[in-house]
Amino acid sequence: MKTLQIKPLTREAFAPFGDVIETDGAQHFPINEGTTERYHDLANLNMREGGRAIVSIFRGQPRSYPMEIRALERHPLGSQAFIPMQRRPYLVVVAESQLISREPGTVHAFIARGDQGVNYAAGTWHHPLLAMGEVSDFVVIDRKGEGHNCDEFMLAEPLLLPAG
């Protein structure tokens, strides 16, 4: 079984899959008479074909690592953003898109700091939420609307995801 290498989550490394939501290096400016710093336009939210953005909280149970990655999912009609609420690190597993086969390509694993969120671009193959250590809450911004918006894919051979 192939073991995934876990890399630090950076804007550059994650760019093919969506956006890293963080304040480091973000455009920002003071608002509210200087009492608040606004970090502006951190993710490209995309709600296609008549959908609308909704805000939810996902409560992720901690996973046991190492674990086998057996399946991936994607949301073709909208982006999906995850923003941790407790500032705990978590793991992110994504796969490159293959235009011809429409199946996941090479799989990548990242460790996100507790002050980083991710926004999966519409159609990006990813593993469901991978909390570490403790139950963790995430603000999730995704699409609600008509149409099929969740594809699942079973990998031919599982991949081993080590502890982060």
Side-chain angles (χ1 to χ4, degrees), residues 46-151:
N46 184 339
M47 307 301 148
R48 296 180 181 163
E49 298 181 23
R52 66 180 183 89
I54 60 170
V55 177
S56 305
I57 293 177
F58 286 19
R59 181 159 291 153
Q61 301 300 312
R63 305 288 184 123
S64 296
Y65 300 96
M67 71 174 277
E68 291 184 1
I69 300 296
R70 297 182 171 278
L72 299 172
E73 66 181 32
R74 70 178 177 181
H75 307 285
L77 300 181
S79 58
Q80 189 177 42
F82 287 78
I83 304 163
M85 296 177 70
Q86 284 97 3
R87 298 182 65 88
R88 294 186 185 119
Y90 60 101
L91 294 172
V92 175
V93 172
V94 291
E96 296 173 4
S97 294
Q98 299 186 94
L99 298 177
I100 295 172
S101 70
R102 298 182 187 237
E103 295 179 359
T106 304
V107 178
H108 301 269
F110 299 96
I111 186 160
R113 300 184 320 256
D115 65 344
Q116 292 177 305
V118 294
N119 180 50
Y120 300 118
T124 296
W125 289 106
H126 63 279
H127 192 276
L129 186 58
L130 292 165
M132 298 171 60
E134 299 180 53
V135 172
S136 299
D137 290 346
F138 291 77
V139 172
V140 177
I141 304 167
D142 61 356
R143 180 188 182 275
K144 178 179 180 178
E146 297 293 321
H148 176 77
N149 193 33
C150 186
D151 297 328

Side-chain angles (χ1 to χ4, degrees), residues 14-51:
F14 197 73
F17 313 107
D19 309 299
V20 174
I21 301 170
E22 64 182 339
T23 57
D24 291 350
Q27 177 188 7
H28 59 98
F29 48 88
I31 61 172
N32 300 335
E33 299 176 358
T35 63
T36 303
E37 192 73 12
R38 178 178 176 148
Y39 292 86
H40 186 69
D41 198 13
L42 300 177
N44 182 21
L45 301 177
N46 184 339
M47 307 301 148
R48 296 180 181 163
E49 298 181 23

Side-chain angles (χ1 to χ4, degrees), residues 7-20:
K7 303 173 228 166
L9 183 67
T10 65
R11 281 191 176 106
E12 297 75 25
F14 197 73
F17 313 107
D19 309 299
V20 174

